[in-house]
């Protein structure tokens, strides 16, 4: 392009036009080709889900969990009750009980926790207790041996069917996510879980969040293959 003879004003107008075109192309290449969408995160600390039978063995006959705080997923809550989880090499005190009760007791810990207490905990989806580890759980009224109950929850994204449609994904689809911030990281093998009562949120455990430098109210980006 020959700029000789053009006024400074016209050169400025041309430069601004070129910058706008470059910015437009860069933005649309990222969004349309890779389809990146932002999803809020929830950082999951160690916790335990109890069946009603185990609630009563730990806290007394006829006992019911006492809601302390609502969780992000509808109908779920952190209970006032806490327990001690005991493995072969150590224990975790004041592990929070989450409600409501389930049909089967499940303990969710991080990889770091598994080293601390000495338990083999497979990385599996919540509810899948195949080859899960075993621990003892101590409550104020009793002790249980929670056989085949301990897992490290696989990374997953909760979403409503409307969210799944907008994001172009389906239930049980495995996707990748990219974190933002000072330590951007890409996590693969992230499972999409779709239900009518789910609220859009990506669940990571404390090990994953710490590795990526994440904190509450941060978000991740869903990456579909380019």
């Amino acid at each position: 392009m020959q700029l000789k003879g053009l006024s400074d004003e016209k050169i400025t107008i041309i430069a601004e036009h070129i910058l706008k075109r470059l910015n437009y192309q860069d933005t649309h290449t990222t969004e349309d080709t890779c389809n990146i969408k932002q999803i809020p995160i929830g950082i999951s600390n160690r916790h335990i889900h109890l069946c009603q039978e185990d609630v009563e063995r730990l806290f007394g006959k006829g006992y019911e969990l006492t809601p302390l705080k609502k969780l992000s997923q509808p109908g779920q809550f952190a209970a006032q009750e806490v327990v001690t989880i005991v493995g072969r090499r150590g224990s975790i005190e004041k592990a929070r009980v989450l409600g409501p009760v389930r049909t089967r007791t499940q303990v969710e810990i991080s990889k770091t926790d598994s080293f601390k207490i000495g338990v083999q905990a497979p990385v599996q989806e919540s509810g899948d207790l195949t080859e899960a580890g075993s621990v003892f759980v101590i409550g104020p009224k009793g002790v249980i041996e929670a056989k085949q109950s301990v897992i490290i929850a696989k990374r997953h994204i909760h979403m409503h069917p409307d969210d799944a449609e907008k994001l172009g994904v389906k239930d049980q689809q495995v996707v990748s996510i990219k974190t933002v911030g000072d330590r951007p990281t890409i996590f693969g093998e992230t499972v999409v879980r779709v239900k009518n009562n789910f609220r859009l949120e990506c669940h990571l455990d404390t090990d994953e969040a710490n590795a990526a430098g994440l904190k509450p109210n941060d978000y991740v980006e869903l990456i579909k293959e380019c």
Side-chain angles (χ1 to χ4, degrees):
M1 179 183 292
Q2 297 294 324
L3 298 180
K4 187 176 181 180
L6 294 177
S7 67
D8 290 344
E9 182 180 359
K10 287 185 177 180
I11 292 175
T12 299
I13 292 173
I14 292 171
E16 289 178 348
H17 177 74
I18 292 172
L19 287 173
K20 285 181 180 179
R21 290 289 299 174
L22 290 173
N23 185 55
Y24 175 88
Q25 291 173 359
D26 180 66
T27 300
H28 281 68
T29 297
T30 300
E31 292 183 353
D32 295 340
T33 305
C34 296
N35 194 12
I36 297 178
K37 303 291 183 180
Q38 294 183 354
I39 298 173
I41 66 164
I43 301 173
S44 182
N45 202 353
R46 61 182 75 107
H47 60 271
I48 182 170
H49 302 273
L50 294 170
C51 66
Q52 183 57 36
E53 179 183 357
D54 287 344
V55 168
E56 296 189 18
R57 292 169 66 188
L58 293 169
F59 296 98
K61 187 174 181 180
Y63 193 91
E64 295 185 1
L65 296 177
T66 309
L68 173 67
K69 180 178 68 174
K70 290 183 179 180
L71 300 179
S72 58
Q73 296 305 311
Q76 305 296 305
F77 62 88
Q80 291 185 12
E81 291 75 19
V82 293
V83 296
T84 298
I85 299 169
V86 182
R88 291 176 299 167
R89 290 201 300 265
S91 63
I92 297 172
E93 297 181 350
K94 296 183 179 179
R96 183 69 56 186
V97 179
L98 301 189
V101 294
R102 293 193 175 185
T103 57
R104 187 172 176 183
T105 290
Q106 176 176 294
V107 180
E108 295 182 35
I109 61 175
S110 68
K111 190 68 173 178
T112 299
D113 290 331
S114 73
F115 292 142
K116 175 183 176 181
I117 66 175
V119 61
Q120 293 292 330
V123 178
Q124 294 180 174
E125 285 191 64
S126 178
D128 180 4
L129 299 179
T130 306
E131 298 182 355
S134 300
V135 291
F136 288 93
V137 181
I138 303 173
K141 299 291 186 179
V143 179
I144 63 170
E145 184 179 7
K147 295 181 178 179
Q148 204 170 341
S149 66
V150 187
I151 64 168
I152 299 168
K154 195 169 188 177
R155 287 184 298 274
H156 57 280
I157 306 171
H158 291 277
M159 61 178 72
H160 186 274
D162 291 344
D163 296 316
E165 184 176 357
K166 291 176 183 177
L167 295 170
V169 295
K170 59 185 179 180
D171 187 44
Q172 293 301 305
Q173 182 173 342
V174 178
V175 299
S176 294
I177 56 173
K178 179 182 178 181
T179 70
V180 297
D182 296 334
R183 306 179 71 182
T185 306
I186 293 178
F187 288 120
E189 295 294 316
T190 306
V191 180
V192 173
R193 301 176 62 188
V194 182
K195 284 188 179 180
N196 286 323
N197 63 340
F198 279 171
R199 175 176 174 268
L200 184 62
E201 187 176 57
C202 177
H203 281 190
L204 303 173
D205 70 19
T206 51
D207 281 356
E208 294 162 332
N210 289 337
L214 295 173
K215 58 186 182 301
N217 300 320
D218 280 344
Y219 63 88
V220 295
E221 295 173 339
L222 172 65
I223 305 177
K224 296 178 66 179
E225 291 187 3
C226 299

